[in-house]
């Protein structure tokens, strides 16, 4: 009994000593105070929006991680023996096994970005600043420049995902997706015989045809990317298709057109919310709500027949389906609200370096206090 408790005391003492001897080092490491954390979460749904990393290097690390996760999920959800015959497979015969060492390379990613010698946030911002400050180059980053930057990062991300998705559908590996190669998602097949499956949704043939800009019956990467992200497309056929979809969705009395009631109880809210995000007009008391909706309806109803047709929706289709540009601008506005300390509408390099957490917030660990970190960077 006595010996046992002495043993316990000695053990406790040793642990305390060990802790004390480590703690200076621990404090030293704590100089950074917060750990940067890459996101590994993603959804398979192409519709869901996800904000993009500010720093292309971080985006790349996240992308690698996401690819690995995607690969795992894909192998898990599909039946490789049915859908990916070995001859078609660009991996070796045992892909899950073979990719293991690669995956382990990226297990280091968080250590990498938390190692100041390798990933020094200040020097990253020094490096990136001139790439943002381009329109014009004046030592200031404007909201427009930051929006364009965010948009470029987002577009690169989106295209990468489309490529990945395309690899899945392009069964004969000719670099194009034909309509027959494009299988509906498995949950649609499972939802089987009711009309819900093939009649509705973004996979239908009309959507496919509208995406096929050159009308050759096949979608190349650009066209396939547009297919997945019609609101970001420059293809007018897709914008028309989106308008038709919108009418179909809102047309509750099934007369093929949208009347004021249908407009007011669906579309108008979307347009108004969109506008409120951008400008802040604060008149949304319930009694006066009807009037701006009637004004907008009258403006859109070009032929004045009291209904909106698909063509008449074109001017607002971008507001009904917010594009990457919309999110890029929203993200830029958030960054400005946090980092434009003197509120002159420009970011200087100093403002950026002094507020690094705004640019790297997606990967900062949320549990810790942002302002501690901020102070230490001064
Ligand atoms: C995704 O995020 C949620 C909460 O943010 C977390 O609980 C979950 O474990 C994450 N999943 C993965 C695969 O990282
Ligand atoms: C990070 O980079 C800045 C500028 O390049 C430099 O002044 C600073 O010492 C670096 N910090 C570390 C911990 O290396
Ligand atoms: C149609 O749906 C019903 C109920 O969901 C199911 O029992 C039936 O097997 C389905 N028919 C076909 C042909 O899939
Ligand atoms: C799509 O285009 C093909 C020809 O490329 C045509 O056969 C098909 O009927 C079209 N489908 C729809 C729904 O427009
Ligand atoms: C795909 O085809 C379109 C024409 O429909 C063309 O403008 C675009 O450059 C092509 N994209 C690729 C990646 O080849
Ligand atoms: C509700 C709201 O945020 N209103 C603001 C809109 O913007 C002006 C300045 O442009 C502010 O003064 C308001 O407080
Ligand atoms: Ca084509
Ligand atoms: Ca400023």
């Amino acid at each position: 009994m006595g010996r046992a408790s002495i043993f316990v005391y000695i053990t406790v003492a040793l642990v305390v000593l060990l802790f004390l001897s480590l703690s200076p080092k621990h404090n030293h490491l704590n100089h950074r105070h917060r750990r940067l954390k890459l996101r590994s979460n993603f959804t398979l749904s192409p519709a869901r929006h996800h904000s993009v990393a500010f720093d292309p290097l971080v985006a790349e690390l996240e992308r690698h991680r996401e690819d690995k996760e995607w690969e795992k999920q894909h192998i898990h959800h599909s039946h490789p023996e049915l859908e990916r015959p070995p001859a078609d497979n660009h991996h070796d015969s045992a892909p899950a096994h073979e990719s293991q060492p690669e995956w382990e390379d990226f297990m280091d990613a968080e250590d990498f970005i938390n190692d100041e010698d390798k990933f020094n946030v200040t020097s990253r911002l020094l490096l990136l600043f001139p790439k943002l400050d381009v329109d014009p180059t004046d030592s200031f980053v404007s909201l427009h420049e930051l929006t364009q930057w965010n948009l470029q990062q987002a577009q690169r991300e989106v295209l990468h995902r489309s490529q990945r998705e395309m690899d899945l559908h392009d069964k004969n590996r000719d670099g194009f997706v034909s309509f027959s190669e494009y299988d509906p998602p498995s949950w649609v097949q499972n939802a089987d015989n009711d009309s819900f499956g093939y009649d509705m949704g973004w996979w239908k043939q009309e959507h496919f045809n509208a995406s096929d800009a050159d009308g050759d019956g096949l979608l190349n990467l650009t066209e396939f990317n547009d297919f997945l992200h019609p609101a970001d497309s420059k293809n007018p056929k897709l914008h028309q298709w989106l308008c038709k979809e919108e009418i179909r969705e809102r047309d509750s009395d099934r007369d093929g057109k949208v009347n004021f009631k249908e407009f007011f109880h669906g579309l108008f809210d979307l347009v108004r919310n969109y506008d409120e995000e951008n400008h802040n007009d604060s008149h949304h008391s319930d009694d006066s709500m009807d009037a701006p909706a009637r004004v907008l309806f009258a403006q859109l109803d070009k032929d004045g027949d009291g209904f909106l047709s698909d063509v008449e929706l074109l001017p607002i289709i971008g507001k009904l389906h917010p594009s990457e540009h919309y999110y890029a601008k929203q993200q830029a506005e958030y960054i400005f609200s946090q980092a434009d300390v003197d509120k002159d509408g420009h970011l200087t390099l100093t403002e950026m370096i002094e507020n690094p957490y705004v640019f790297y917030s997606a990967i900062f660990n949320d549990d810790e206090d942002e302002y501690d970190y901020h102070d230490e960077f001064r």
Side-chain angles (χ1 to χ4, degrees), residues 16-253:
V16 168
L17 274 174
L18 188 68
F19 177 75
L20 286 176
S21 72
L22 284 178
S23 52
K25 190 176 159 208
H26 188 248
N27 282 340
H28 174 68
L29 283 175
N30 242 6
H31 183 62
R32 281 192 310 266
H33 230 272
R34 321 178 63 193
R35 276 188 71 78
L36 298 166
K37 225 171 149 40
L38 292 174
R39 295 169 297 193
S40 57
N41 259 347
F42 78 106
T43 56
L44 284 171
S45 155
R48 174 100 184 261
H49 194 263
H50 159 106
S51 73
V52 174
F54 168 79
D55 187 326
L57 189 55
V58 171
E60 200 185 320
L61 293 169
E62 290 185 344
R63 204 148 55 220
H64 278 300
R65 221 175 228 214
E66 197 185 279
D67 283 350
K68 292 293 165 190
E69 194 65 27
W70 184 85
E71 208 170 284
K72 278 196 284 185
Q73 286 194 22
H74 171 62
I75 288 166
H76 179 73
H77 284 301
S78 67
H79 305 281
E81 74 280 7
L82 295 176
E83 294 197 347
R84 305 182 108 201
D88 266 3
N89 204 326
H90 56 200
H91 299 287
D92 290 317
S93 47
H97 212 80
E98 301 270 319
S99 61
Q100 217 45 45
E102 266 183 304
W103 169 239
E104 255 151 37
D105 290 346
F106 296 109
M107 297 302 274
D108 298 329
E110 258 152 42
D111 289 337
F112 172 82
I113 57 171
N114 280 288
D115 181 339
E116 277 176 65
D117 292 331
K118 293 181 186 147
F119 191 83
N120 175 331
V121 177
T122 303
S123 48
R124 288 300 300 163
L125 289 170
L126 278 166
L127 182 82
L128 294 176
F129 189 86
K131 299 187 184 185
L132 275 90
D133 178 22
V134 291
D135 185 23
T137 303
D138 57 0
S139 303
F140 293 112
V141 166
S142 64
L143 186 66
H144 171 72
E145 284 168 332
L146 185 56
T147 300
Q148 288 306 113
W149 173 263
N150 289 344
L151 182 59
Q152 284 166 26
Q153 305 313 307
Q155 284 170 340
R156 188 174 311 157
E157 194 74 29
V158 162
L159 198 62
H160 174 79
R161 288 177 195 202
S162 295
Q163 175 72 66
R164 198 169 60 194
E165 193 76 14
M166 187 159 170
D167 290 345
L168 195 60
H169 293 289
D170 178 14
K171 309 232 166 44
N172 68 357
R173 306 232 162 265
D174 65 350
F176 298 96
V177 174
S178 65
F179 188 67
S180 64
E181 279 176 331
Y182 192 78
D183 284 335
S186 55
W187 61 268
V188 177
Q189 288 171 326
N190 295 340
D192 58 43
N193 48 33
D194 62 70
S195 63
F196 184 74
Y198 279 85
D199 277 339
M200 287 177 61
W202 43 268
W203 58 86
K204 62 184 241 185
Q205 195 169 14
E206 205 178 327
H207 179 185
F208 184 95
N209 284 4
S211 309
D212 182 11
D214 62 3
D216 67 354
L218 300 169
L219 303 188
N220 68 12
L221 179 59
T222 313
E223 290 166 334
F224 189 65
N225 187 52
D226 287 350
F227 174 80
L228 296 178
H229 306 279
D232 290 303
S233 163
K234 304 251 183 296
N235 174 353
K237 283 200 286 182
L238 264 177
H239 293 174
Q240 283 157 21
W241 176 80
L242 273 178
C243 290
K244 277 188 180 171
E245 277 296 293
E246 206 59 60
I247 299 271
R248 226 163 50 94
E249 203 174 303
R250 305 298 170 185
D251 178 20
S252 34
D253 63 6

